[in-house]
Amino acid sequence: MPQNIDGKAISAQIKEELKEKVADLKISRGISICLAVIQVGSDPASSVYVGNKKKACAYIGIDSRSYELPEETTQEELLQLIDKLNNEEEVNGILVQLPLPAQIDEDVVIRAIDPRKDVDGFHPQSVGALCIGQPGFVSCTPAGIIQLLKRSGIEIAGRECVIIGRSNIVGKPMALLILRENATVTIAHSRTENLREVTRRADILIVATGKPKMITREYVKEGAVVIDVGIHRNEAGKLCGDVDYEDVAPVCSAITPVPGGVGPMTIAMLMNNCVEAGIAGR
Ligand code: NDP
């Protein structure tokens, strides 16, 4: 059987480390960290994500402030709130839960967040900094995948890595991060020709297509490491990823399960970004 890349255990380990760090910052330097979480409307999935983020904050010792705005909130009202939070010294991180209702332009909202408080790492300044190798916040899911690989003892440098997906929040920052770790990187997408030939080159295959169980063993080189970013719920309420786990697991050397792989890492890395924001802000 392949090595199970245990995101649940690794994220718990990171949260423990952060909890100690936050307690130490409070005692030794009098620093408290505060995350402001804004949700517009009451999309049930968003409410679950926001609830989980608040729970993680409470566990680690980060103060969280919650702003629950009605569905009909205007862009101007949201921008005013962001401006207020940008100027509040005690707020270290600002997170606007996406997606936003149709009347609000997400790009405008992301750009309005002070890059020093951009704990999601979505601001163009954060993305630009990542691109040219300067310090800045990194999108949490790709940052979590790097931690998964490193903490599972998987060598990255010099290896062939193929990422399927080129979204701004997963595929592109993933490619930049893994390049920073000295992998040789290919980004595949829906217009890639001969996808199987491309993916079969990968020592590390990272799948973020948003297509349930799309990746079967025909796409995977024997002995590859497979990271599944996807998360879907089928009609029976069971979770699955973009990779057909049962089919692929026997041919790879290591694989992330869904649930319990990449998913738990996103919040752990968000908490890490909040702690970094808190330290940088003093
Ligand atoms: P997007 O829909 O924004 O991007 C999907 C990407 O996959 C696109 O670049 C698209 O190509 C490519 N793609 C789609 N179909 C194919 C195909 N048949 N062959 C090759 N490439 C294809 O998704 P996200 O990046 O936002 O998310 C990807 C997955 O990860 C989703 O399942 C999402 O739920 C999950 N996710 C999980 C998170 C977690 O915390 N675990 C966090 C974020 C996302 P093109 O650009 O050409 O359209």
Side-chain angles (χ1 to χ4, degrees), residues 141 165-167 189-190 208-211 214 229-232 242 263 266:
T141 303
R166 55 174 163 179
S167 71
H189 46 77
S190 68
T209 59
K211 301 274 153 56
M214 178 190 145
V229 186
I231 182 138
H232 312 275
D242 293 349
T266 301

Side-chain angles (χ1 to χ4, degrees), residues 70-273:
E71 183 78 31
E72 59 280 5
T73 301
T74 65
Q75 181 166 302
E76 201 42 49
E77 286 166 332
L78 178 55
L79 292 176
Q80 275 170 15
L81 173 59
I82 292 171
D83 186 50
K84 182 169 109 48
L85 297 170
N86 279 341
N87 289 301
E88 277 192 40
E89 208 183 313
E90 53 284 13
V91 173
N92 306 105
I94 302 171
L95 185 149
V96 180
Q97 184 64 44
L98 303 178
L100 291 166
Q103 74 275 17
I104 301 178
D105 183 336
E106 283 182 5
D107 288 337
V108 172
V109 169
I110 289 167
R111 277 200 301 273
I113 297 171
D114 184 333
R116 288 168 303 179
K117 302 189 179 189
D118 173 38
V119 286
D120 256 338
F122 295 164
H123 192 286
Q125 188 172 312
S126 308
V127 180
L130 172 63
C131 194
I132 58 172
Q134 288 188 353
F137 292 113
V138 176
S139 181
C140 300
T141 303
I145 292 171
I146 296 291
Q147 286 300 314
L148 277 183
L149 292 169
K150 286 188 170 173
R151 290 176 186 244
S152 301
I154 292 163
E155 185 70 35
I156 303 174
R159 299 185 85 190
E160 193 88 42
C161 175
V162 176
I163 299 156
I164 324 178
R166 55 174 163 179
S167 71
N168 290 340
I169 62 164
V170 184
K172 284 185 197 139
M174 188 70 248
L176 291 166
L177 271 184
I178 205 137
L179 180 63
R180 196 158 87 177
E181 299 295 330
N182 299 311
T184 301
V185 186
T186 302
I187 307 176
H189 46 77
S190 68
R191 305 285 294 273
T192 298
E193 287 181 8
N194 304 322
L195 183 64
R196 288 177 199 194
E197 277 173 34
V198 174
T199 58
R200 285 179 71 92
R201 292 205 304 259
D203 301 312
I204 300 173
L205 178 62
I206 302 177
V207 186
T209 59
K211 301 274 153 56
K213 296 194 176 188
M214 178 190 145
I215 298 303
T216 51
R217 64 172 65 188
E218 293 77 33
Y219 290 84
V220 180
K221 177 168 82 174
E222 182 95 31
V225 172
V226 178
I227 305 290
D228 187 355
V229 186
I231 182 138
H232 312 275
R233 202 176 279 282
N234 69 15
E235 309 79 53
K238 201 168 171 268
L239 291 174
C240 75
D242 293 349
V243 174
D244 184 339
Y245 184 94
E246 281 73 28
D247 192 52
V248 168
V251 300
C252 59
S253 62
I255 186 166
T256 55
V258 176
V262 173
M265 296 302 294
T266 301
I267 288 191
M269 298 319 289
L270 172 68
M271 297 296 109
N272 183 66
N273 282 351

